[in-house]
Amino acid sequence: MLAANRSGTATATALAGATELDVPVPSPRRTGPAARCTRVLLSPYTRLSLLFALLAGAAAAVLLFEPQRLLTEGWPPELGGAAAAVVFAVAYGLCTVAFVPRPLLNLAAGALFGSQLGLGTALAGTVLGAGVAFGLGRLLGQDALRPLLRGRWLKAADGQLSRHGLRSMLAARLFPGVPFWAANYCAAVSRMGWLPFLLATALGSIPNTAAYAVAGARASSPTSPAFLIAMGCIAVPALLGTVVAWRKRHHLRGR
């Protein structure tokens, strides 16, 4: 009986020791040159530097190729129909990432493809460009920039975009005073989801894009009713946006 107890105790002790040995022990942090290089390359500030380098390169490419020549020289004759619309939409999206003003691209879309196809092409390019900018900002810039959101206004803007992304971005797209690229990267730094961002971009960009596309399509007849209405749809929101921004400026000064 005693031998049995001793045998059982020994077995239990051996099992307990084995169980203790099975507990995973955290592996020591790698400190070799390759590990340090990997940590540096994947660090938030390295990715942010890569984002700045990509944007600077895109802006330089725009200055080199001068896409505004589409308004004066037209579309290459070897491209036509649906292929031309697809190529233009892709070029439109990449140009918006490189800070090319959307009004210029919208006018070109209307001049090259007419009002309806120009509107559809410009909207496709708008959503594509916004999605690329949002993805770049989310992947390369969010981790480095979010710790910098310490001011009261920055925190308020971040909270508004994170909690009410759809309506906040819809207002930013409808309001003519908010730069397209600024709204893209602010949304990327926030916790806004992809679907609200893209949906608000598509819906909120329709009025302004349609006005510019019609103006571009009817630029050859500046006295036509369609051209005058389009110019009115461009000028009136811009004037209202300026007045609202001016009043908010005085309101903030008073506080």
Side-chain angles (χ1 to χ4, degrees):
M1 189 71 178
L2 181 59
N5 288 339
R6 287 179 178 175
S7 176
T9 304
T11 303
T13 305
L15 290 175
T19 304
E20 291 177 358
L21 292 176
D22 290 339
V23 175
V25 178
S27 59
R29 188 177 183 180
R30 297 180 180 178
T31 57
R36 287 197 298 268
C37 182
T38 302
R39 285 197 296 272
V40 170
L41 291 177
L42 296 179
S43 68
Y45 292 103
T46 301
R47 285 181 284 153
L48 182 62
S49 300
L50 176 59
L51 175 61
F52 288 151
L54 289 174
L55 295 180
V62 166
L63 294 176
L64 179 64
F65 292 104
E66 299 179 353
Q68 64 271 18
R69 289 183 300 176
L70 289 174
L71 289 176
T72 57
E73 301 178 6
W75 192 252
E78 58 270 15
L79 282 177
V86 172
V87 171
F88 183 86
V90 174
Y92 184 115
L94 297 178
C95 285
T96 59
V97 176
F99 310 111
V100 176
R102 284 185 62 248
L104 178 66
L105 298 171
N106 292 334
L107 288 172
L112 294 173
F113 301 105
S115 301
Q116 297 180 358
L117 183 58
L119 171 60
T121 304
L123 282 178
T126 296
V127 176
L128 174 63
V132 171
F134 186 85
L136 288 174
R138 180 62 56 89
L139 179 64
L140 301 177
Q142 187 187 48
D143 292 340
L145 294 177
R146 279 202 67 82
L148 303 179
L149 301 177
R150 297 175 182 175
R152 183 178 60 171
W153 297 111
L154 291 176
K155 287 184 177 180
D158 175 65
Q160 184 70 19
L161 288 171
S162 299
R163 292 191 300 269
H164 311 289
L166 180 62
R167 69 185 186 188
S168 299
M169 186 52 55
L170 189 62
R173 298 307 189 195
L174 291 172
F175 187 71
V178 180
F180 184 73
W181 62 269
N184 292 337
Y185 292 111
C186 288
V189 175
S190 73
R191 301 191 186 281
M192 178 187 296
W194 277 89
L195 182 59
F197 173 77
L198 295 177
L199 182 60
T201 296
L203 296 178
S205 301
I206 291 176
N208 185 264
T209 304
Y212 276 101
V214 172
R218 303 298 179 120
S220 58
S221 55
T223 58
S224 64
F227 181 83
L228 295 176
I229 292 174
M231 293 304 297
C233 292
I234 294 171
V236 171
L239 180 60
L240 291 176
T242 303
V243 171
V244 170
W246 184 261
R247 293 187 63 181
K248 290 292 184 181
R249 173 174 172 267
H250 284 287
H251 178 68
L252 293 175
R253 275 187 175 181
R255 294 179 61 180

